[in-house]
Amino acid sequence: GQCDPSDLSEIDRDKHILLHMLDLHREKVAPLDLTTMQYVSTPSTEDDLPQDPTELLNAFLRRLWLCNPQARSTCCKVPVGDYGLDMDENSQCAINPLDLVAVIYMTTNSFLQQEITQRMLQCNFAVPLYLPPIHPEKKGTILLCPFRGVLGQWKSLSEGPIMKNMADSRMPFLSAVRLGSCNVSKSRVLNRVLGGPHELNDCFVNCGMEGGQLPRVLSDGLVEVCWNLHSGDRHKIFSRPVLVANLRGDAADCEKQMSLLCYTSAVLIVFFGRFGAKERDLLASWRDNTSHMIIIDCSTSVEDGQDNQNEKMKQRLMKDLELPDGTMLNGCEGDEEEIAENLRDVLDRFIPYLHTTNLVGTAGMANDLDINVDEDELCRMAFSEVEEVLSGIEDGVSSYLENQLPLQGTVWKQLCQLEKEEARHLQHTSQSLTGEKENLIKQLLDYKLTTSMRAFTAALCSFDTTKRAFFLSWMRVKLEVMQLDNLSDQREADEEQMQEPCIGLEHFLREMGLVYERYFRGPNSDLYDMFRLPYLGAELLFYGVPLELYDGDASVFPINWVYSVLYEVHKQLPKFSHMRVLTILGFHNSKNAEVLSALFGVNFPKWGRRHIKGACMLLLSLPDNFRMEMDCEFLLLISTEGLNAQTERSLVHASELATFVSGLSDITLINLPDEDQNETRSNLQIAVNAILCTRNLERKTTFQVASEGAGMDGKIMSCVIDVLTTGQLPNESQRETLPTSERRGIGSSSVTSKNDQIYSDAILRLKKRLLTMFHEKATNGQPTCLGAFMEHMLSLWESVKNENFAIKFGETATADAIIGLCRKLVQGEKQLNDQLDIWVEALDNHITELKESVYQSGEYMDSDRLLRILRDEAATQINTERDHIKASLWDYLRQEDIDIGLVENYKVSLHKKVDHIQEQITYDVAQKLESATICHDMTVKMHALLTSLEAALEVRLRSLLQTCKNNNCVIEDKELEREFASVWENIPSNMNDPALETQEIFARMVEQLKKNISDRGLKKQNIRLRDAKQLNGFKVKTAHFALSSKMKKTLKYNKDVAQRFTNNLIEDCDRRVSDKVCHKEGYSDSYMRELLAIMDKGLEFLKGEPFVMSPKFEVDIKGYVCGKAAESFQEVQDSFIREKEIKERFLNETRERHMLNFIYQFRKRDQCQKAAQSFTNQCLKPTVEDFIYNSLERQIFNDILKKKNSQLYSSPKKFHYSLLKEMLMKDSFEDFHEYLQSHESFCRKSIENFIRAHLSGSVMIEDRREQRMHQIFDWVKRCINQASESSSGAQRNARQLLEEVCASLASLGKITMPTQILKKPLFDISTHREHFFANLEESVSELSSSIAQEFMENEDVIEVPDDLPDKLQDMLYERVKGCDKRCPFCKAPCDLEETEHQVHEAVVHRPKGLVCYTNANSTTLSHNTCSADIAGQNQFQNRDTAGRSLPFKEYQSIYPDWKIYPEDSRNNRAAVYWRYVFMRYNRRFAQKYQCAPAKLPEAWGNITQREALQSLREAFQITE
């Protein structure tokens, strides 16, 4: 009975609930087998989201068979019910995808698991290797059987391409486990490792995927595996193939799994989260049993004080575990990409040296560890039977085929060919033919049942169906593994070039059929119990093993075998069962098996593995929804493989096969492979011949094309079908394009998930199309029963064998002619489409030109008129090209010298096809033109909307910038987003207007009509709106007249009058509706009342006629008019809806971009504003003020130079004279001493005293500040304009723009700007010059206004700057300082005024004692002057002479740039001034210099002040 969840532990309770959620609770579970897929896959034509969790299992299988990358998705429409599981209520996923995968493997048998595993690996999904038990007391299971049939291919640098069975292949085994909780996703890191830096990889489900974050219930302890195979491309991950295992859950809780992984893994990768004692013990125990270990430290961040302790623990752990350097990776920061890169590097170093293992060895190790392995005793018994059947095959496939499967040899092929030739009467000598045939039959009758076939049939006859299934599975696997080298070669070489043939399970099944066929050639007691073989074949057919319908190698239909098997099937089917037939024609590399598997979940032999030509069949029981659509219970699938025509004989055989299977079918799907120029022609020839041969059969087949890729073949074939299939309307949907279905190998991600999704969608479209075609068949004809099909099959084979068709199988002339013509048609259609596409793409400008030309003429162009013009232009192009295509068809026949009689019967069809192309293109272009005009109108509207939006945003942007500037504040992004939203939400829009649905318009019209009818007293009338599209105008009927007006004599006349009146009334109403529609006015009830009023008024006029209309007439005509109006108003409403959708889409698509641009522009322009302000305040303002107030300095300076001081400061010489004179008059020792010690300092002090005295008085200055201000700002604005005009439109650095302005200002007004501020980061911003210069001009204007305001407030007072005296002092000193050289002896200044003089002279040389010179060998001050020493014999010695004594006369050898005149009568008076001063202050100078007073001549004592002054005047040549 059912267990009570309350009696279970919490974990068991969750598992129990999960199984109930998926509708897989224990009493319902029966392992699903391969036939399940037919019932899971067939019903679905859409990839619908599962309604609830009970549909997840079927959705997974269905999507997986379609190779859909979303197969593992657990999303449901109702994901969470009253189940009691702790799931995320906000998630649309019902369970964790890993639980879904786990439960799939738990509830399917080994044979379905094999198919699931194949497809999961092809989709690059990880698959389970170890299944944990549902109940803890049970054992887990190693899954080996699902991997037995997995083939992998990779490239080896030494061996080239390699293909091997992945269960047996030895390669390094890498295992990843988690110990404790981690801050990174282990599975996501592994995905990054396997995908490499260049590709995304979703192999392992992780918390980053949809549903991956949900708690795991069944999958904790699951071990998943995937392969990473070396594909040889430049983005390789590892240098050799590896097997990667991933343990789910905490490894500390998975003892069995860890034991297995440690023993088998070459590298154990451990993600661990803490350094506890338990964790260290576990790591140590694992390290003892594994070869290599990599530890990834994912511990969470710790306190600062524990960092060192953790590091020490890491080092100790590495030492204890004996880990080499680089094998403990840091993952504490949680950077998964970095962890993956580091792990990939470490593994890449390890992998070349790692030991290898395989899954078979892993399963053996599991047995030793007391872990269940899924291959039980029954499986092993089946394997033994396979070994018996294949005994001897190791000696070579050729010899095995010859000895054990001899019936498929040349004898059977020659006999079949002779029988066909006999039937076709190709042998003139019948006696010779008969003798050869009898000889072949005799050889065939010598056949004895071989050991292998005896063992094979005995194994199939087993009563244990599971054992038989294992036997068939092992046969496939064993044969594939044994021939992998041949299979690898076939991928590189053509099948015809292969030296050793390949053998598959299909060869044994064919041999079994031939054993039965041979019995009918002559009974043989050795062929015991042959009549049980058809029953066995029927059983296999019901199990899903295809029955060979046609032997392609012998080109024969094994009539007795197939008929007998189908008879057994017929006996087991319910009575009155019906079926339909679908055939798929497969050419070389067409991969029919994959298409049929994806469509219906069936397993046909794959062409790349079976190497057997012919056709196979399967009977599919249809689900209920298909039975109703197709009017039958069963679908017979026929798959044809290996159609090719490399030789004339192979063309004949392929045509026979294609004709036979097509003639059996209701629908024939021509599956064209991706184009190969060598095979394209023959593929089309075979298909066209099949159509030509079957077109006149009583049982009509419908052809459908499926083509891989978007090549020309599919279009040509579709065109051929249109031309050759009579009574079938051409339809482009007869062709379905499938993406290249070359499925990727395992461990490869060369095919992206996007391509998988495209393939999945294409398969579903194809299935839907096939279902539609079968539905059409069901409406036009009765299905067939199996018995009738069998009879038709025999009849058709007789026709094929006798070649009773209009053309011979080997002839290709007609097919080539039709293919050539259809190719021209397709090329012409493509050229016309391309031409029109180019024209439509350029329509926007053309529409604008058309509208402008009409507007210039003063007219208005509405949408209807515009569409008419464009349609006429398009029609002209289409008609011209149509005529060109028709002409080119017959030109082609003449150019290629093709007999026109071959296609004469199809001439009408070809012209109809051209006309259909014209109609189709005209229709398509009309749609495109309507879309183009709507798009143009919307573009204009959207442009206007965008313009208003941008204008509104610009206004708000400027307002925010001004606010930010005025308040000197910072506005955050959140506030900017709110400001943007307030503008955005006020966009003028009709998006808030509710749209009327069609039903609502009709309902409201009916209500108005009912009210009108009621008001007019018409009761009990059936009121309904007529569908005007389904009526060929409104017809006045006899029932519309009152009884009195139905007289036969006048009825016809009355009808004519009433019809004319009705037509006029309808035209008036239509005109009124058109006026509303033209103005794009939506429906309103007032319009309806207005329309009814027009009709009421018109009906009043009808009363004046001599006949009377019945109330039905009024109701019907009003219903008709209102129905037409409703459709017109609905079209307007639809246009509103489309416009609204376009506007919404436009606004939604542009909102984020506009918001980001709004924030960006604010930040950018705010920076511009700040940069402009900063430059103006810190650089330009000081310069402007300096320029303005420099004029004040200049005014005072000029004032000083005027008046009485003009002579004083007119030259350096006069200033020196006045300085000496002032000292003489003042007669102060301190002044003389200061002057002698520092001439410049004394001069500056004298000037300073003069300026202060001058400024302390009443100084009248003219106010010229405003004039100077206007001048400087005019210069600044001129420089800004020049820089703005000279700069290019591209973005430039603010520093560059400002430096350009500064340079212009410097050259214009000789003004130097303090540009150091421009080095700040603020000026590094790149900006548009217009915005920046606008901000700069605004800041300059504000500065100008500010300074002008200051002048107005202080117009009566000119404020003198504090530093003005210093500036004036500098200006005056610079004017009078003269030459700055001093006499090398007495320090007298040079008085020469000429600039750039080379030799210096002093007007007055003074006694050297005044500057602390003493006599030689004495402390007495010297009273000699330079002039006296030069005239005498005295010598001098100083540092310039390097300690040597030189005569004064030779002073120019040391000082060549000085000229000192000797003392004589000419210049003697010049020295009087200083003699007077020396005489007067001799003792004071001696005290100051701490020397003895000079011994002065007595005559010096007689010099008066007056004489001293006079000598000064004479020396300086001053006249006073």
Side-chain angles (χ1 to χ4, degrees), residues 1127-1163:
E1127 291 169 1
S1128 299
F1129 283 122
Q1130 187 58 45
E1131 288 178 2
V1132 174
Q1133 198 66 35
D1134 290 343
S1135 69
F1136 288 159
I1137 293 172
R1138 284 196 301 271
E1139 183 175 334
K1140 174 183 174 181
E1141 289 173 350
I1142 293 172
K1143 187 180 293 184
E1144 286 178 339
R1145 186 167 62 249
F1146 171 78
L1147 293 175
N1148 290 335
E1149 288 174 354
T1150 58
R1151 188 183 194 281
E1152 186 70 16
R1153 176 167 56 85
H1154 275 89
M1155 185 178 72
L1156 294 176
N1157 184 62
F1158 179 78
I1159 296 173
Y1160 172 79
Q1161 288 296 330
F1162 175 82
R1163 296 288 176 226

Side-chain angles (χ1 to χ4, degrees), residues 11-28:
I11 295 177
D12 286 343
R13 181 188 65 85
D14 287 349
K15 291 179 180 179
H16 184 81
I17 292 173
L18 181 66
L19 291 174
H20 266 78
M21 281 177 63
L22 301 176
D23 198 25
L24 295 171
H25 40 289
R26 181 176 298 175
E27 60 269 22
K28 287 194 63 175

Side-chain angles (χ1 to χ4, degrees), residues 1152-1217:
E1152 186 70 16
R1153 176 167 56 85
H1154 275 89
M1155 185 178 72
L1156 294 176
N1157 184 62
F1158 179 78
I1159 296 173
Y1160 172 79
Q1161 288 296 330
F1162 175 82
R1163 296 288 176 226
K1164 203 74 174 174
R1165 287 163 70 171
D1166 187 42
Q1167 282 185 305
C1168 291
Q1169 185 172 265
K1170 285 182 169 59
Q1173 281 183 298
S1174 181
F1175 171 77
T1176 303
N1177 293 334
Q1178 300 181 43
C1179 184
L1180 188 59
K1181 183 177 181 181
T1183 303
V1184 168
E1185 290 177 343
D1186 189 54
F1187 181 82
I1188 294 172
Y1189 287 107
N1190 269 344
S1191 64
L1192 182 63
E1193 297 162 7
R1194 181 59 58 183
Q1195 288 183 67
I1196 297 174
F1197 180 73
N1198 292 337
D1199 188 60
I1200 291 174
L1201 297 183
K1202 293 177 183 178
K1203 305 177 184 177
K1204 61 181 180 180
N1205 303 311
S1206 59
Q1207 291 298 319
L1208 175 62
Y1209 295 101
S1210 61
S1211 68
K1213 193 171 183 179
K1214 289 181 179 178
F1215 177 73
H1216 192 193
Y1217 164 75

